[in-house]
Amino acid sequence: MKYYGITDRGKLRRSNQDSYVIATNQTGDVFAMVCDGIGGGKGGDVASRIAVSYFSMAFSENEGFSSAEETEAWVREQVDSANARIFETGRNMPELHGMGTTLSGVLITKHGRYVVNIGDSRTYSYTSAGYFRLLTEDHTLVNDMLKHGELTPEQAEKFPRKNVLTNALGVWEKVHADIFVHNEELSGFLICSDGLHGYVEESVIRTIVLDRETDPALRVRRLYQAAMDAGGYDNITAILIDLEGDEAHEQF
């Protein structure tokens, strides 16, 4: 397995409110996630960093899982704990009130591969046969309106409040996380913030990710460059997990 990550503030933003982590536990399981902070001032920066720091610490101390049920329960417990940390920090510090973050990630264990999602960062899967598929559902107002038939896909593209979230980590006292198991035959995963998927056509992302002749590290950098070429309007973060690579990893 190889995994690579990159993050950048882009061309226009003054700071980078994205954070990411690729962590391992004491038995070699891997947990990779992207968090895209929301909130005025420094709030988004703080929220995403709290989430990443908390999961990094909690997972590094984890001694492994004995079953699929225990794995999912652990993820839900940590989501609740991270949510409480961010929520309490915002409640106790008025300048950070209302801050929160998206969270999209993949946990890879001997019991299965778990995809967890809150907000509008995304996780995709890909295969050696050329399939590229979105695994997560955006928790946004525009997506809810699409599902209920209140907008057409064409109208959704021009919807003025496309970035309004209906779910985020740390904004409310309680949070719901989508958690799904993906044990089908896959070659890897792409996890990214909307600084990539919101500005780069999916066909372009797919072409880059499926270029198996190119090293995963270079593919990640090409994804980043595609987002910059599209304007670099937002913070850009991407993680590529190559399940079929050699036992090695790097982070940028």
Side-chain angles (χ1 to χ4, degrees):
M1 184 192 308
K2 285 186 177 181
Y3 34 91
Y4 301 87
I6 190 169
T7 189
D8 189 86
R9 67 182 177 89
K11 295 181 179 179
L12 301 183
R13 297 296 176 93
R14 293 183 177 179
S15 64
N16 189 356
Q17 296 194 337
D18 287 2
S19 299
Y20 80 93
V21 67
I22 306 171
T24 57
N25 67 2
Q26 296 181 28
T27 59
D29 299 329
V30 174
F31 201 171
M33 69 173 62
V34 168
C35 294
D36 180 356
I38 59 174
K42 297 181 179 179
D45 301 35
V46 174
S48 68
R49 289 172 187 165
I50 290 175
V52 161
S53 296
Y54 175 77
F55 276 97
S56 180
M57 175 194 68
F59 195 60
S60 67
E61 296 174 352
N62 178 271
E63 297 179 353
F65 306 101
S66 60
S67 67
E69 292 75 18
E70 181 188 351
T71 307
E72 182 171 339
W74 183 90
V75 174
R76 293 197 181 278
E77 180 182 348
Q78 304 316 312
V79 165
D80 288 343
S81 295
N83 188 77
R85 287 195 176 205
I86 298 169
F87 181 78
E88 288 299 323
T89 301
R91 184 157 64 178
N92 294 330
M93 302 179 69
E95 69 273 20
L96 300 178
H97 179 72
M99 71 174 177
T101 182
T102 70
L103 186 158
S104 197
V106 178
L107 171 59
I108 300 172
T109 78
K110 64 180 181 181
H111 302 291
R113 309 185 198 109
Y114 299 79
V115 173
V116 55
N117 188 65
I118 303 166
D120 68 348
S121 293
R122 290 181 175 180
T123 296
Y124 299 83
S125 67
Y126 61 94
T127 73
S128 57
Y131 293 103
F132 183 73
R133 182 164 70 101
L134 176 62
L135 300 179
T136 54
E137 179 180 317
D138 293 347
H139 299 157
T140 59
L141 175 62
V142 66
N143 194 47
D144 281 357
M145 295 178 72
L146 268 171
K147 289 196 300 181
H148 291 92
E150 299 172 28
L151 289 176
T152 66
E154 293 74 22
Q155 290 172 328
E157 285 297 317
K158 299 178 181 179
F159 190 66
R161 302 171 67 196
K162 289 180 66 173
N163 296 325
V164 175
L165 297 179
T166 57
N167 190 24
L169 189 71
V171 176
W172 300 282
E173 197 164 4
K174 300 293 181 181
V175 67
H176 169 75
D178 292 338
I179 300 177
F180 300 102
V181 179
H182 290 279
N183 292 333
E184 63 269 30
E185 188 172 338
L186 299 173
S187 296
F189 297 95
L190 167 67
I191 313 167
C192 63
S193 65
D194 64 348
L196 176 64
H197 73 74
Y199 297 95
V200 181
E201 293 290 335
E202 186 171 301
S203 60
V204 175
I205 297 174
R206 177 183 183 276
T207 297
I208 295 171
V209 170
L210 293 179
D211 180 10
R212 305 303 302 284
E213 299 299 316
T214 301
D215 186 82
L218 185 53
R219 279 184 270 163
V220 170
R221 289 204 167 271
R222 286 181 175 173
L223 290 169
Y224 158 74
Q225 191 58 53
M228 292 292 278
D229 291 344
Y233 297 110
D234 201 351
N235 306 148
I236 305 157
T237 304
I239 297 172
L240 195 65
I241 303 173
D242 190 346
L243 298 173
E244 298 176 348
D246 296 331
E247 293 293 331
H249 72 275
E250 294 184 28
Q251 298 180 49
F252 297 93

